[in-house]
Amino acid sequence: MRVKQKYIIDFAKGITWALVLYLIYLYNQQDNITAWIYLCLHGSYGIMWVLKSYIFPDKTWESKVGIPYAMLIFIGLILYWAPAYIITSNSHQASNLIIVISIFIFSIGVFYHFVSDMQKFIFLKNNSGLIKDGFWKQCRHPNYFGELLIYLSFLLLVVESSQWWIPTAVLLLFIIAVWIPNMIKIEKSLSRFDDHHEYKRKTPFFIPYLF
């Protein structure tokens, strides 16, 4: 039996709000504003991801995998919930400054991630070739840059905790083991286009030029 990767990813991200809500009540954190803010940020991101998956899906996640690999994907995604556990089980409360910075970074990340993915979806629906304008003029992987900001915003909410290193290690693991290999795979696929070399020379890999 094989299942599409998107179903595993959508399920894990889609239930995040329920998981965080469960932890809030499990550890009696109803008065912990950091826990509720985390619920709003990570929970809304999960819902937006599922909506994106059905409105403008990414073909990357359409491929089917076996059940063992599907379970590995799900377990890996569970690790992203580390900040939720740290906040609720330790009654951790972030400072006002950290909360403001976290919300700000999250907002920018959502903008980059979802809008650049929509730009890619619309372009590839009507064209073939390289996307070299809009977000993709600033860097070659703006959707991954946006996702980095999103997960950094979650991590920031526990940066003042003694367990900050756990979600940091998880994020670094995903960047090294999943994100970078995926981006390199995309680069190799796009190298078939004649203008890719020039585009690659002028455009940064991951961190965008804003001007």
Side-chain angles (χ1 to χ4, degrees):
M1 180 179 177
R2 297 173 68 81
V3 60
K4 287 185 178 181
Q5 294 185 63
K6 68 174 290 182
Y7 295 148
I8 307 301
I9 298 171
D10 290 357
F11 176 75
K13 296 195 178 190
I15 65 172
T16 296
W17 67 271
L19 181 279
V20 180
L21 189 62
Y22 169 74
L23 290 175
I24 288 173
Y25 280 91
L26 176 67
Y27 291 105
N28 297 312
Q29 294 299 299
Q30 293 91 331
D31 295 327
N32 187 343
I33 188 64
T34 302
W36 289 108
I37 288 173
Y38 182 88
L39 169 64
C40 290
L41 298 185
H42 204 161
S44 65
Y45 164 67
I47 293 170
M48 285 187 284
W49 176 280
V50 174
L51 291 173
K52 181 197 78 164
S53 179
Y54 286 91
I55 298 172
F56 48 103
D58 190 334
K59 291 183 179 179
T60 303
W61 312 120
E62 293 290 332
S63 60
K64 293 184 177 181
V65 296
I67 296 300
Y69 189 72
M71 292 301 298
L72 181 63
I73 293 174
F74 183 71
I75 292 171
L77 290 170
I78 287 176
L79 297 176
Y80 275 135
W81 296 338
Y85 179 77
I86 293 170
I87 291 169
T88 54
S89 65
N90 295 288
S91 300
H92 173 71
Q93 298 197 39
S95 65
N96 289 340
L97 177 62
I98 290 297
I99 289 174
V100 169
I101 295 174
S102 178
I103 294 173
F104 180 82
I105 291 177
F106 175 80
S107 302
I108 301 299
V110 165
F111 178 65
Y112 261 89
H113 177 67
F114 289 101
V115 179
S116 63
D117 263 355
M118 177 173 279
Q119 181 188 356
K120 179 179 72 172
F121 176 79
I122 294 172
F123 178 88
L124 294 178
K125 190 175 182 179
N126 301 291
N127 306 276
S128 63
L130 292 174
I131 314 172
K132 296 185 291 184
D133 60 353
F135 288 93
W136 305 84
K137 183 178 181 179
Q138 297 179 354
C139 70
R140 304 199 300 275
H141 302 279
N143 47 353
Y144 278 98
F145 172 70
E147 196 162 12
L148 174 65
L149 294 183
I150 289 170
Y151 281 106
L152 280 177
S153 73
F154 306 154
L155 190 160
L156 269 177
L157 290 176
V158 296
V159 75
E160 297 163 310
S161 163
S162 61
Q163 296 176 307
W164 62 270
W165 60 272
I166 298 175
T168 301
V170 169
L171 182 57
L172 287 174
L173 174 64
F174 268 87
I175 291 173
I176 294 171
V178 180
W179 294 12
I180 291 178
N182 278 349
M183 287 186 277
I184 292 174
K185 183 179 179 181
I186 292 170
E187 293 282 325
K188 289 181 178 179
S189 175
L190 295 177
S191 64
R192 69 185 187 274
F193 297 111
D194 294 336
D195 49 351
H196 179 259
H197 179 74
E198 183 65 15
Y199 171 67
K200 185 177 179 179
R201 186 183 67 81
K202 291 182 177 179
T203 313
F205 180 68
F206 185 46
I207 307 300
Y209 290 148
L210 296 180
F211 303 104

